[in-house]
Amino acid sequence: FFAKMNKVNVLCLLCAPHAAAFASSKTLPGPVQLGTVSQPNIYALYEEYLNAAGNQTFYSIMARSDPNKSRPFSITASESHLSADVIKAPPEGLSAWWSNTSTMSSFQSKHGDDELGSAVWIYYYKFTGTGTRGAVIYVPGHTEACLKHAEFIYQTVVLEGFSPLYCIDHRSQGASGRLLVDSFKSHGKADTHLVDDFADFVKRVKEDLSDKPSSVPYVMCHSMGCAVTLRHLLNRCGDSAQFRAVVMNSPLLRPVTTPFPYAVAVGISTALVAAGQGKEHPPTLGSTFEETFPADPGDCVDVVSSSTSSKARCLASHALCRQQQSVLQPAGHTGLCIGDATNQKAKSFFNLWSSIESFIEDGSCKLEVPILLQQGLLDTTVENEPQEQFCGNACSRCSISVHNSRHNIWWEVDVIRDAALREAFSFLQQNRHWQRLELQVKVERATNLDDLDTFWGDDSDVYVWVQIREKGQGTQLIGENKDEYVSSQNPVWDFQVPAWGFSQDTAAQRDLTLEIEVWDSDYGWDEKLGVATIPYPDWPTLDTCADKTVELQEGSGTVYLQLCIVLDLA
């Protein structure tokens, strides 16, 4: 794949002494920064290294324009080395497998179209295999139909054993309803429409999984699909158990807007939409179908905007789009693939990033769901810095890995793609015990709360405050019923705490404690009356009502609440 680079500005993966040392010692060298070398030398040294490395993972450094911004990334050696990619497929072929395995469903979106005056139907697929590693939701990127990712879906369901898998065709993409008479245009009124469609899709997936042993799915996503997924999670920040874990492939947070600076591109799209040009293309965009998918695609991957350096996968996608162009889709349009975004769609991308950025800046949400963010070092579609800002400020359990890839890492040449997917599937399995905690608190019995010596000396207005304390990390509020005061004579709650996610594998190591605090409300001078603490090892035992006595005044022993606490770990 290095041969595809017009300019080779790299920090050498290795040098001959390192390769010789590794071949003799079988010890992988650490990241080493070396000088720029020629293409033939890179190719030869890289293949030599692969021969020596076998199937182990090694680390190297690639240079950007500024060597100080170089960063380590991992590549796993492959038996195919730099030979042609081998597309993963069953003996009968991906097309036949898709037809025999997939089940298509649809629902009507809450948001209609712009021109056709009809409802927009959203189509999605379900694939069921024999594996038991858990359910996966796959969320494609902009312009991409689920069918384009048949290889990835087959590999996930059949070869890796994740089942069932659900994939959504976003509005104006794939089989789902178009929004304009010109069905090749990628159009959308608002970013919230994509997010609302995704929420309805997730609801249907969870209903379908409700009778399964594990009803909480994983999510794997690409580009715009990741932005939609993140906005969905941020909208439900208190419910951190929406998904077990999320793997993001080059998420589209802030798009690259070359040749215009980002702020200028935002201003242009805003002005054009205001001028009534929302359904037209922005400057520099607007290729026709034949221009986008010509009969002779040439080398395919040499196109600057190509999201892969894999010629095999690029040509396969190209052929799919041409083959499907005259095929009538379920929503009533012909053609599967779409082209460039309109001004209105571009504006919705900018708005989507702005809404996510607001969470990053104000710190109002820290997602608890485990997230692996895979970046493409050669990505010319999205900016990587905003991804790092998100992981650092809006996510409690987010890790980043960097790959020598263009925009779609899971669609790259085998040596890059296989390593990234191994990492992704391993991450999902590491978080297979990420569970949701549902808590119900009831007052079974209480002494007369009028006996409490409160700050103001008046009757108490008691409420409960539930939080999780992590040793050395402080507390996290996960629920309260402050607006539902109880009678001082006979306090009774039926208080359901929003679902809270945690990893069973690491909960004990994190030293988690559930704290149920009882407070007296006094118009800003609230007073804590007592607390019940439940360490993590005791959580699984609370699957039925467990009485917990809370003394409301330390040492009094006379004023107390007897709480019924039920924890449901699903």
Side-chain angles (χ1 to χ4, degrees):
F1 58 88
F2 287 115
K4 296 298 181 185
M5 298 181 183
N6 293 325
K7 294 181 180 179
V8 182
N9 178 22
V10 301
L11 300 179
C12 181
L13 297 174
L14 58 135
C15 61
H18 281 88
F22 172 74
S24 60
S25 67
K26 301 301 181 183
T27 301
L28 293 174
V32 179
Q33 182 168 313
L34 303 171
T36 300
V37 298
S38 64
Q39 281 184 335
N41 285 342
I42 286 179
Y43 187 98
L45 289 172
Y46 184 62
E47 184 158 358
E48 179 182 354
Y49 195 90
L50 289 178
N51 283 325
N55 288 321
Q56 301 183 65
T57 301
F58 62 91
Y59 292 85
S60 53
I61 297 179
M62 292 291 292
R64 297 180 178 182
S65 56
D66 179 0
N68 294 324
K69 292 183 179 179
S70 301
R71 67 182 69 194
F73 71 99
S74 61
I75 298 180
T76 301
S78 163
E79 292 181 1
S80 62
H81 306 312
L82 299 180
S83 60
D85 298 322
V86 178
I87 294 180
K88 283 71 177 173
E92 68 272 23
L94 286 172
S95 179
W97 177 82
W98 183 283
S99 299
N100 296 331
T101 309
S102 66
T103 302
M104 177 183 277
S105 302
S106 64
F107 60 90
Q108 183 176 331
S109 172
K110 298 173 183 174
H111 308 286
D113 59 48
D114 273 10
E115 289 184 339
L116 304 178
S118 59
V120 173
W121 287 89
I122 307 300
Y123 285 83
Y124 63 96
Y125 302 85
K126 176 183 177 181
F127 302 83
T128 304
T130 58
T132 59
R133 299 178 74 182
V136 170
I137 290 175
Y138 179 61
V139 197
H142 176 229
T143 76
E144 297 182 346
C146 290
L147 187 56
K148 172 184 172 179
H149 301 282
E151 178 191 14
F152 165 81
I153 293 172
Y154 166 77
Q155 182 174 357
T156 304
V157 174
V158 177
L159 303 184
E160 296 294 335
F162 290 90
S163 176
L165 182 145
Y166 303 83
C167 182
I168 181 174
D169 275 344
H170 298 289
R171 58 180 32 240
S172 193
Q173 293 183 197
S176 290
R178 299 295 194 261
L179 308 181
L180 300 176
V181 174
D182 183 350
S183 61
F184 188 61
K185 285 183 175 179
S186 173
H187 185 64
K189 269 190 173 181
D191 59 293
T192 54
H193 295 182
L194 286 166
V195 179
D196 289 345
D197 289 344
F198 181 68
D200 286 344
F201 166 61
V202 170
K203 179 182 176 182
R204 285 163 170 79
V205 167
K206 291 201 167 188
E207 288 172 352
D208 190 57
L209 292 172
S210 60
D211 62 341
K212 304 294 189 296
S214 175
S215 60
V216 183
Y218 301 107
V219 170
M220 302 182 77
C221 59
H222 171 56
S223 193
M224 183 190 79
C226 296
V228 171
T229 300
L230 287 181
R231 194 66 182 90
H232 172 83
L233 285 169
L234 291 168
N235 284 348
R236 295 157 180 78
C237 192
D239 184 1
S240 57
Q242 278 277 307
F243 310 122
R244 287 184 180 273
V246 177
V247 181
M248 299 190 294
N249 166 8
S250 302
L252 190 158
L253 299 188
R254 189 166 67 202
V256 172
T257 55
T258 304
F260 304 104
Y262 184 78
V264 173
V266 172
I268 290 174
S269 70
T270 302
L272 289 173
V273 170
Q277 298 297 304
K279 299 172 186 176
E280 305 306 321
H281 291 295
T284 75
L285 297 182
S287 299
T288 64
F289 178 85
E290 287 298 331
E291 290 170 335
T292 307
F293 305 104
D296 180 7
D299 209 18
C300 195
V301 297
D302 283 340
V303 179
V304 174
S305 60
S306 175
S307 60
T308 177
S309 52
S310 169
K311 184 174 181 179
R313 293 184 174 92
C314 185
L315 291 175
S317 174
H318 190 99
L320 174 69
C321 291
R322 290 194 65 85
Q323 183 268 330
Q324 289 282 320
Q325 182 58 11
S326 60
V327 175
L328 181 65
Q329 301 297 326
H333 60 276
T334 57
L336 188 75
C337 302
I338 60 173
D340 293 329
T342 62
N343 290 310
Q344 185 73 59
K345 186 62 172 282
K347 187 172 184 293
S348 74
F349 286 154
F350 300 144
N351 290 342
L352 187 58
W353 162 240
S354 295
S355 65
I356 294 174
E357 186 179 31
S358 66
F359 281 96
I360 296 174
E361 292 178 345
D362 64 24
S364 60
C365 177
K366 278 276 191 180
L367 296 178
E368 279 288 325
V369 61
I371 294 176
L372 170 63
L373 194 159
Q374 296 181 325
Q375 288 183 339
L377 194 65
L378 308 178
D379 197 332
T380 59
T381 301
V382 302
E383 297 182 22
N384 285 342
E385 184 178 352
Q387 300 168 358
E388 294 155 10
Q389 293 173 359
F390 166 79
C391 270
N393 299 317
C395 184
S396 297
R397 303 185 64 205
C398 183
S399 56
I400 296 177
S401 66
V402 184
H403 301 260
N404 186 39
S405 169
R406 295 189 186 183
H407 182 51
N408 194 336
I409 304 168
W410 302 340
W411 206 44
E412 262 291 359
V413 292
D414 283 353
V415 70
I416 299 172
R417 175 186 185 273
D418 293 350
L421 283 175
R422 275 195 295 271
E423 178 188 50
F425 294 135
S426 175
F427 180 80
L428 297 185
Q429 282 301 282
Q430 290 169 12
N431 291 283
R432 63 190 179 280
H433 293 310
W434 181 258
Q435 298 183 324
R436 77 172 176 273
L437 176 154
E438 292 186 354
L439 172 68
Q440 188 177 51
V441 180
K442 291 184 179 180
V443 176
E444 293 287 285
R445 192 156 56 95
T447 57
N448 193 339
L449 298 186
D450 287 341
D451 292 340
L452 287 170
D453 183 17
T454 60
F455 184 83
W456 295 104
D458 59 353
D459 288 349
S460 57
D461 296 309
V462 183
Y463 65 91
V464 68
W465 196 323
V466 181
Q467 58 190 14
I468 299 290
R469 179 178 295 277
E470 182 175 354
K471 186 176 182 180
Q473 299 295 325
T475 61
Q476 176 187 357
L477 178 68
I478 63 171
E480 62 176 336
N481 73 335
K482 191 171 182 179
D483 296 329
E484 299 178 12
Y485 302 119
V486 298
S487 164
S488 61
Q489 298 296 324
N490 185 26
V492 175
W493 292 302
D494 188 358
F495 175 41
Q496 192 81 21
V497 175
W500 185 81
F502 74 100
S503 173
Q504 190 180 50
D505 286 348
T506 61
Q509 289 78 9
R510 292 169 66 191
D511 200 358
L512 300 180
T513 301
L514 176 68
E515 295 184 349
I516 302 172
E517 296 183 351
V518 180
W519 287 71
D520 174 43
S521 177
D522 274 315
Y523 306 101
W525 295 84
D526 294 12
E527 185 179 1
K528 186 166 82 170
L529 303 177
V531 60
T533 60
I534 307 172
Y536 166 73
D538 293 341
W539 293 6
T541 66
L542 300 178
D543 53 346
T544 58
C545 182
D547 290 343
K548 188 78 174 180
T549 299
V550 183
E551 291 190 2
L552 298 188
Q553 286 189 323
E554 187 176 355
S556 68
T558 58
V559 181
Y560 65 88
L561 293 178
Q562 186 170 314
L563 302 179
C564 168
I565 301 169
V566 180
L567 283 172
D568 178 21
L569 304 180

